[in-house]
Amino acid sequence: MFLTITTTGTPDRPATDLGFLLHKHPDNAQRFSTSHGTAHVFYPEASAERCTAALLLEVDPVALVRRGAGKGRGGAPDAALAQYVNDRPYAASSLMSVALSSVFKSALRGVCAALLERAATALPLRVEVPALPARGGADLVHKLFGPLGWDTVSARPVALDEQFPQWGDSRYVSLVLEGELRLADALRQLYVLLPVLDDAKHYWVAPDEVDKLLRAGDGWLAGHPEQELITSRYLARRRSLARQAMERLELVRLAEADGLDVEEVDNSVDENSDTPQGPVPLAAQRRSAIVAALVSAGAARVLDLGCGQGQLVGALLADPRFTEVVGVDVSMRALAVAARRLGLDRMTERQAARVKLTQGSLAYTDKRLGGYDAAVLSEVIEHVDLPRLPALEYAVFGSARPRTVIVTTPNVEYNVRWETLPAGHVRHGDHRFEWSRPQFQEWARAVAEHHGYGVEFGPVGPDDPEVGPPTQMAVFTLTGAGGSTSREERSASGALESTPHHTPKEATAA
């Protein structure tokens, strides 16, 4: 296998800086042992104007068979002779990717103490791979490398035999990439996409491959239009790993869209920590009130939006009247806890068919959320920044438009009853706001009027005569042509009081 990287330079910024960036001196030819052969690094040319680094990987077919028995295409041949006579030693594949990560480890990470600024700067690069297996042909090569900033992507098909052109082209291409990129970015792209184009790996794909993919794909994979194909092929089409990788990439995409760190987006909150006193009874009362309202509304297919760790999902699954329950949360950590809490891996096929946990952000419309009887936003809206609340409103009430929407949120007036809560503090550090009853009702009535819903309000928890309940609940019901139930059928539990549709002028956002 053979690969070259070429750059050009000036007397002020000589091309031989490539040697510093790769941590391989241009005057030396070096050898490195790999598990399947020997990697050679040398420089066919090295001057201030132009410098080329070459990586030649000599693959030992015997070592490939002995070390890879039963793993990947090289270890599972159709015939005994094919174990030793195949394309593995000659065509760039996952073997070359492993060599790249081993020989140019520091360069892949963009580390160069001698030339910090140069390592962070885009260079004029030309990458050549004379023999690259491409299952999907030249078109796929262009689809994969085209969106990554290369000015030129050339993938010339290699003929099966130049003496017999009528035989057509092989599945190999001669790849040339030209453009201005950071060296680390170019190497990471090659590390991922060489085995993706080959659509095979010479080793068993374990769960840690997801981390490798995300590290190498940092900065370019989350927004790639062929992200799903890349992920599936890189992870040897293992669906569970590909799904995990896609979920984590979605988090990256959402974080980048909002200008946040991934940790800020993946910020699940345990409902048992949202009140400083008596959290479990109040959480249980919330669930009971929500279930009662859903039953009263005749809902069978329910969305739990911002499902957290799955407490409400579990309560709904315990009632056979709910035939489908979908938990949605932006936090993968919360979904993983929910899956364990619910015992998804131990459910019967019939039970598992009733529940689904999926990653999603309520700040964006999602076609998957359409067509359900009801949606629940339990202790969710207070975790959303006020400027982003209209986006959530539209995603739920304008786009998904379930027949019934139930919203619960803390009543800030009740906070004076929490002895351990300092004056002026919200109940949880992640709460962006907490509303009084007039403020919540003003918001709910405005949403209902704008999107064609009726709304009723009710308390959850002990209803203090002075400050009201600890939790307030609104039940929205689609009206007019969009609704399919009568006024009586839409009525929530007896604790709910009907409220006229107007906006109190004195209410203001917290």
Side-chain angles (χ1 to χ4, degrees), residues 32-38 57 59-60 62-64 66-68 95 98 102 202-203:
F32 303 88
S33 295
T34 72
S35 58
H36 298 92
T38 304
L57 179 60
V59 177
D60 181 353
V62 176
L64 181 62
R66 288 176 177 172
R67 293 179 180 271
L95 289 164
V98 171
S102 176
H202 68 279
Y203 58 89

PDB file of all heavy atoms in Angstrom, residues 32-38 57 59-60 62-64 66-68 95 98 102 202-203:
ATOM      1  N   PHE A  32       8.711   1.188  10.759  1.00  0.00           N
ATOM      2  CA  PHE A  32       7.901   0.979  11.955  1.00  0.00           C
ATOM      3  C   PHE A  32       7.190  -0.370  11.834  1.00  0.00           C
ATOM      4  O   PHE A  32       6.572  -0.670  10.803  1.00  0.00           O
ATOM      5  CB  PHE A  32       6.853   2.095  12.110  1.00  0.00           C
ATOM      6  CG  PHE A  32       7.446   3.476  12.148  1.00  0.00           C
ATOM      7  CD1 PHE A  32       7.661   4.181  10.966  1.00  0.00           C
ATOM      8  CD2 PHE A  32       7.798   4.058  13.349  1.00  0.00           C
ATOM      9  CE1 PHE A  32       8.202   5.448  10.988  1.00  0.00           C
ATOM     10  CE2 PHE A  32       8.351   5.327  13.379  1.00  0.00           C
ATOM     11  CZ  PHE A  32       8.554   6.034  12.202  1.00  0.00           C
ATOM     12  N   SER A  33       7.298  -1.163  12.875  1.00  0.00           N
ATOM     13  CA  SER A  33       6.625  -2.465  12.874  1.00  0.00           C
ATOM     14  C   SER A  33       5.145  -2.287  13.196  1.00  0.00           C
ATOM     15  O   SER A  33       4.768  -1.524  14.088  1.00  0.00           O
ATOM     16  CB  SER A  33       7.264  -3.393  13.907  1.00  0.00           C
ATOM     17  OG  SER A  33       8.593  -3.687  13.556  1.00  0.00           O
ATOM     18  N   THR A  34       4.308  -2.976  12.441  1.00  0.00           N
ATOM     19  CA  THR A  34       2.878  -3.023  12.728  1.00  0.00           C
ATOM     20  C   THR A  34       2.486  -4.482  12.932  1.00  0.00           C
ATOM     21  O   THR A  34       3.284  -5.401  12.687  1.00  0.00           O
ATOM     22  CB  THR A  34       2.051  -2.427  11.572  1.00  0.00           C
ATOM     23  OG1 THR A  34       2.075  -3.325  10.455  1.00  0.00           O
ATOM     24  CG2 THR A  34       2.604  -1.076  11.144  1.00  0.00           C
ATOM     25  N   SER A  35       1.261  -4.704  13.373  1.00  0.00           N
ATOM     26  CA  SER A  35       0.829  -6.077  13.647  1.00  0.00           C
ATOM     27  C   SER A  35       0.701  -6.907  12.379  1.00  0.00           C
ATOM     28  O   SER A  35       0.634  -8.131  12.442  1.00  0.00           O
ATOM     29  CB  SER A  35      -0.514  -6.059  14.381  1.00  0.00           C
ATOM     30  OG  SER A  35      -1.489  -5.379  13.619  1.00  0.00           O
ATOM     31  N   HIS A  36       0.689  -6.251  11.220  1.00  0.00           N
ATOM     32  CA  HIS A  36       0.504  -6.991   9.974  1.00  0.00           C
ATOM     33  C   HIS A  36       1.595  -6.708   8.949  1.00  0.00           C
ATOM     34  O   HIS A  36       1.424  -6.978   7.764  1.00  0.00           O
ATOM     35  CB  HIS A  36      -0.867  -6.672   9.373  1.00  0.00           C
ATOM     36  CG  HIS A  36      -2.009  -7.070  10.241  1.00  0.00           C
ATOM     37  ND1 HIS A  36      -2.578  -6.207  11.141  1.00  0.00           N
ATOM     38  CD2 HIS A  36      -2.659  -8.253  10.378  1.00  0.00           C
ATOM     39  CE1 HIS A  36      -3.561  -6.830  11.781  1.00  0.00           C
ATOM     40  NE2 HIS A  36      -3.616  -8.066  11.342  1.00  0.00           N
ATOM     41  N   GLY A  37       2.721  -6.155   9.378  1.00  0.00           N
ATOM     42  CA  GLY A  37       3.812  -5.910   8.440  1.00  0.00           C
ATOM     43  C   GLY A  37       4.675  -4.757   8.895  1.00  0.00           C
ATOM     44  O   GLY A  37       4.804  -4.486  10.087  1.00  0.00           O
ATOM     45  N   THR A  38       5.244  -4.063   7.921  1.00  0.00           N
ATOM     46  CA  THR A  38       6.185  -2.981   8.210  1.00  0.00           C
ATOM     47  C   THR A  38       5.782  -1.730   7.453  1.00  0.00           C
ATOM     48  O   THR A  38       5.469  -1.780   6.255  1.00  0.00           O
ATOM     49  CB  THR A  38       7.618  -3.379   7.797  1.00  0.00           C
ATOM     50  OG1 THR A  38       7.970  -4.588   8.461  1.00  0.00           O
ATOM     51  CG2 THR A  38       8.600  -2.287   8.174  1.00  0.00           C
ATOM     52  N   LEU A  57       3.320   0.771   3.105  1.00  0.00           N
ATOM     53  CA  LEU A  57       2.988  -0.281   4.056  1.00  0.00           C
ATOM     54  C   LEU A  57       3.176  -1.635   3.388  1.00  0.00           C
ATOM     55  O   LEU A  57       2.474  -1.975   2.438  1.00  0.00           O
ATOM     56  CB  LEU A  57       1.543  -0.130   4.540  1.00  0.00           C
ATOM     57  CG  LEU A  57       1.046  -1.182   5.542  1.00  0.00           C
ATOM     58  CD1 LEU A  57       1.885  -1.170   6.805  1.00  0.00           C
ATOM     59  CD2 LEU A  57      -0.424  -0.963   5.865  1.00  0.00           C
ATOM     60  N   VAL A  59       2.620  -5.332   3.723  1.00  0.00           N
ATOM     61  CA  VAL A  59       1.754  -6.233   4.496  1.00  0.00           C
ATOM     62  C   VAL A  59       2.271  -7.657   4.386  1.00  0.00           C
ATOM     63  O   VAL A  59       2.588  -8.140   3.289  1.00  0.00           O
ATOM     64  CB  VAL A  59       0.296  -6.145   4.002  1.00  0.00           C
ATOM     65  CG1 VAL A  59      -0.576  -7.140   4.748  1.00  0.00           C
ATOM     66  CG2 VAL A  59      -0.238  -4.733   4.183  1.00  0.00           C
ATOM     67  N   ASP A  60       2.369  -8.332   5.508  1.00  0.00           N
ATOM     68  CA  ASP A  60       2.759  -9.739   5.547  1.00  0.00           C
ATOM     69  C   ASP A  60       1.494 -10.577   5.463  1.00  0.00           C
ATOM     70  O   ASP A  60       0.736 -10.663   6.433  1.00  0.00           O
ATOM     71  CB  ASP A  60       3.515 -10.019   6.845  1.00  0.00           C
ATOM     72  CG  ASP A  60       3.984 -11.465   6.949  1.00  0.00           C
ATOM     73  OD1 ASP A  60       3.606 -12.276   6.085  1.00  0.00           O
ATOM     74  OD2 ASP A  60       4.714 -11.775   7.908  1.00  0.00           O
ATOM     75  N   VAL A  62       0.952 -13.717   5.602  1.00  0.00           N
ATOM     76  CA  VAL A  62       0.878 -14.780   6.599  1.00  0.00           C
ATOM     77  C   VAL A  62       0.454 -14.214   7.950  1.00  0.00           C
ATOM     78  O   VAL A  62      -0.418 -14.750   8.645  1.00  0.00           O
ATOM     79  CB  VAL A  62       2.225 -15.511   6.712  1.00  0.00           C
ATOM     80  CG1 VAL A  62       2.173 -16.544   7.827  1.00  0.00           C
ATOM     81  CG2 VAL A  62       2.579 -16.172   5.391  1.00  0.00           C
ATOM     82  N   ALA A  63       1.064 -13.071   8.335  1.00  0.00           N
ATOM     83  CA  ALA A  63       0.680 -12.438   9.594  1.00  0.00           C
ATOM     84  C   ALA A  63      -0.772 -11.982   9.560  1.00  0.00           C
ATOM     85  O   ALA A  63      -1.488 -12.071  10.565  1.00  0.00           O
ATOM     86  CB  ALA A  63       1.593 -11.253   9.868  1.00  0.00           C
ATOM     87  N   LEU A  64      -1.217 -11.515   8.397  1.00  0.00           N
ATOM     88  CA  LEU A  64      -2.605 -11.067   8.256  1.00  0.00           C
ATOM     89  C   LEU A  64      -3.569 -12.211   8.533  1.00  0.00           C
ATOM     90  O   LEU A  64      -4.577 -12.055   9.212  1.00  0.00           O
ATOM     91  CB  LEU A  64      -2.829 -10.506   6.853  1.00  0.00           C
ATOM     92  CG  LEU A  64      -4.217  -9.959   6.537  1.00  0.00           C
ATOM     93  CD1 LEU A  64      -4.532  -8.782   7.441  1.00  0.00           C
ATOM     94  CD2 LEU A  64      -4.295  -9.538   5.078  1.00  0.00           C
ATOM     95  N   ARG A  66      -2.861 -15.121  10.201  1.00  0.00           N
ATOM     96  CA  ARG A  66      -2.717 -15.659  11.551  1.00  0.00           C
ATOM     97  C   ARG A  66      -3.338 -14.744  12.606  1.00  0.00           C
ATOM     98  O   ARG A  66      -3.956 -15.207  13.548  1.00  0.00           O
ATOM     99  CB  ARG A  66      -1.234 -15.866  11.858  1.00  0.00           C
ATOM    100  CG  ARG A  66      -0.628 -17.038  11.099  1.00  0.00           C
ATOM    101  CD  ARG A  66       0.866 -17.147  11.368  1.00  0.00           C
ATOM    102  NE  ARG A  66       1.433 -18.316  10.690  1.00  0.00           N
ATOM    103  CZ  ARG A  66       2.739 -18.566  10.633  1.00  0.00           C
ATOM    104  NH1 ARG A  66       3.602 -17.722  11.201  1.00  0.00           N
ATOM    105  NH2 ARG A  66       3.184 -19.646  10.004  1.00  0.00           N
ATOM    106  N   ARG A  67      -3.167 -13.443  12.434  1.00  0.00           N
ATOM    107  CA  ARG A  67      -3.690 -12.517  13.424  1.00  0.00           C
ATOM    108  C   ARG A  67      -5.150 -12.182  13.207  1.00  0.00           C
ATOM    109  O   ARG A  67      -5.827 -11.740  14.128  1.00  0.00           O
ATOM    110  CB  ARG A  67      -2.876 -11.216  13.408  1.00  0.00           C
ATOM    111  CG  ARG A  67      -1.443 -11.385  13.885  1.00  0.00           C
ATOM    112  CD  ARG A  67      -0.702 -10.064  13.814  1.00  0.00           C
ATOM    113  NE  ARG A  67       0.668 -10.190  14.267  1.00  0.00           N
ATOM    114  CZ  ARG A  67       1.058 -10.037  15.524  1.00  0.00           C
ATOM    115  NH1 ARG A  67       0.169  -9.752  16.460  1.00  0.00           N
ATOM    116  NH2 ARG A  67       2.325 -10.163  15.869  1.00  0.00           N
ATOM    117  N   GLY A  68      -5.633 -12.367  11.980  1.00  0.00           N
ATOM    118  CA  GLY A  68      -7.002 -11.957  11.686  1.00  0.00           C
ATOM    119  C   GLY A  68      -7.938 -13.100  11.425  1.00  0.00           C
ATOM    120  O   GLY A  68      -8.932 -12.930  10.737  1.00  0.00           O
ATOM    121  N   LEU A  95      -6.096  -1.436   6.938  1.00  0.00           N
ATOM    122  CA  LEU A  95      -4.693  -1.654   7.293  1.00  0.00           C
ATOM    123  C   LEU A  95      -3.899  -0.351   7.190  1.00  0.00           C
ATOM    124  O   LEU A  95      -3.057  -0.043   8.045  1.00  0.00           O
ATOM    125  CB  LEU A  95      -4.079  -2.714   6.382  1.00  0.00           C
ATOM    126  CG  LEU A  95      -4.556  -4.153   6.609  1.00  0.00           C
ATOM    127  CD1 LEU A  95      -4.187  -5.024   5.410  1.00  0.00           C
ATOM    128  CD2 LEU A  95      -3.963  -4.721   7.888  1.00  0.00           C
ATOM    129  N   VAL A  98      -4.857   1.984  10.122  1.00  0.00           N
ATOM    130  CA  VAL A  98      -4.161   1.641  11.357  1.00  0.00           C
ATOM    131  C   VAL A  98      -2.718   2.127  11.305  1.00  0.00           C
ATOM    132  O   VAL A  98      -2.175   2.642  12.292  1.00  0.00           O
ATOM    133  CB  VAL A  98      -4.229   0.122  11.600  1.00  0.00           C
ATOM    134  CG1 VAL A  98      -3.326  -0.281  12.764  1.00  0.00           C
ATOM    135  CG2 VAL A  98      -5.661  -0.313  11.881  1.00  0.00           C
ATOM    136  N   SER A 102      -0.883   4.893  13.755  1.00  0.00           N
ATOM    137  CA  SER A 102       0.284   4.466  14.515  1.00  0.00           C
ATOM    138  C   SER A 102       1.507   5.309  14.201  1.00  0.00           C
ATOM    139  O   SER A 102       2.205   5.785  15.106  1.00  0.00           O
ATOM    140  CB  SER A 102       0.576   2.990  14.223  1.00  0.00           C
ATOM    141  OG  SER A 102       1.746   2.566  14.864  1.00  0.00           O
ATOM    142  N   HIS A 202     -10.168  -5.251   8.751  1.00  0.00           N
ATOM    143  CA  HIS A 202      -9.406  -6.479   8.933  1.00  0.00           C
ATOM    144  C   HIS A 202      -9.434  -6.936  10.387  1.00  0.00           C
ATOM    145  O   HIS A 202      -8.764  -7.909  10.734  1.00  0.00           O
ATOM    146  CB  HIS A 202      -7.948  -6.265   8.476  1.00  0.00           C
ATOM    147  CG  HIS A 202      -7.171  -5.327   9.350  1.00  0.00           C
ATOM    148  ND1 HIS A 202      -7.263  -3.962   9.236  1.00  0.00           N
ATOM    149  CD2 HIS A 202      -6.297  -5.558  10.354  1.00  0.00           C
ATOM    150  CE1 HIS A 202      -6.467  -3.384  10.119  1.00  0.00           C
ATOM    151  NE2 HIS A 202      -5.871  -4.331  10.817  1.00  0.00           N
ATOM    152  N   TYR A 203     -10.194  -6.249  11.233  1.00  0.00           N
ATOM    153  CA  TYR A 203     -10.247  -6.630  12.638  1.00  0.00           C
ATOM    154  C   TYR A 203     -11.685  -6.515  13.134  1.00  0.00           C
ATOM    155  O   TYR A 203     -12.537  -5.888  12.511  1.00  0.00           O
ATOM    156  CB  TYR A 203      -9.319  -5.747  13.479  1.00  0.00           C
ATOM    157  CG  TYR A 203      -9.603  -4.263  13.393  1.00  0.00           C
ATOM    158  CD1 TYR A 203     -10.505  -3.645  14.259  1.00  0.00           C
ATOM    159  CD2 TYR A 203      -8.969  -3.466  12.432  1.00  0.00           C
ATOM    160  CE1 TYR A 203     -10.775  -2.309  14.184  1.00  0.00           C
ATOM    161  CE2 TYR A 203      -9.234  -2.108  12.356  1.00  0.00           C
ATOM    162  CZ  TYR A 203     -10.135  -1.534  13.229  1.00  0.00           C
ATOM    163  OH  TYR A 203     -10.405  -0.193  13.130  1.00  0.00           O
TER     164      TYR A 203
END
